[in-house]
Amino acid sequence: MKELQRNVQDHDKIEKQIKECIHWIQERVEQANCKGALVGLSGGIDSAVVANLLVRAFPENSLGVILPIDSGKEDADHARIVANKCKIKNVEIDLSMEKNSIFSKTREV
């Protein structure tokens, strides 16, 4: 029984921290005179956490942006999985050509 009580207390503590993060995000977005937020989705844990917080902070005004740049297919796949799981609207823009163009121009200098 004590184990169950401790688990409930831990869950409540974590949920309180999540709500504080969401409130902090909402305040910062409001201070910036914006209506929502976006996150670059890499498929990693950091962007997954932020995506989930944004969806809770702005259910209708959050966007995940997947920007593969000569990266492995697995990275974009993971980012899509994150977007689908947390139900964040998302867009994918492959910037490989732009990166190559920038690199070729800087090599000329």
Side-chain angles (χ1 to χ4, degrees), residues 39-53 79 82 86:
V39 59
L41 292 176
S42 66
I45 188 72
D46 295 340
S47 66
V49 169
V50 173
N52 279 279
L53 291 171
V82 168
C86 71

Side-chain angles (χ1 to χ4, degrees), residues 21-38 53-54 57-58 61-62:
C21 288
I22 290 168
H23 181 71
W24 183 86
I25 292 168
Q26 290 168 327
E27 285 180 336
R28 295 306 173 273
V29 170
E30 184 179 320
Q31 288 172 0
N33 294 317
C34 295
K35 296 179 182 176
L38 65 83
L53 291 171
L54 291 185
F58 304 101
N61 292 316
S62 54

Side-chain angles (χ1 to χ4, degrees), residues 7-109:
N7 287 342
V8 169
Q9 289 171 344
D10 289 347
H11 178 269
D12 290 346
K13 186 188 299 184
I14 292 168
E15 191 59 36
K16 182 179 183 242
Q17 291 173 328
I18 290 169
K19 287 179 182 177
E20 289 172 359
C21 288
I22 290 168
H23 181 71
W24 183 86
I25 292 168
Q26 290 168 327
E27 285 180 336
R28 295 306 173 273
V29 170
E30 184 179 320
Q31 288 172 0
N33 294 317
C34 295
K35 296 179 182 176
L38 65 83
V39 59
L41 292 176
S42 66
I45 188 72
D46 295 340
S47 66
V49 169
V50 173
N52 279 279
L53 291 171
L54 291 185
V55 168
R56 288 181 63 174
F58 304 101
E60 300 301 319
N61 292 316
S62 54
L63 178 66
V65 182
I66 303 168
L67 300 168
I69 303 175
D70 290 337
S71 57
K73 179 184 177 317
E74 189 175 84
D75 293 337
D77 289 345
H78 289 167
R80 282 187 224 97
I81 290 168
V82 168
N84 291 332
K85 290 285 186 184
C86 71
K87 296 180 174 61
I88 191 169
K89 292 176 230 159
N90 61 87
V91 62
E92 185 169 341
I93 305 166
D94 188 339
L95 296 176
S96 298
M97 288 176 45
E98 287 78 2
K99 182 208 87 168
N100 292 336
S101 175
I102 291 168
F103 280 9
S104 69
K105 288 179 182 172
T106 56
R107 283 188 198 116
E108 295 170 5
V109 177

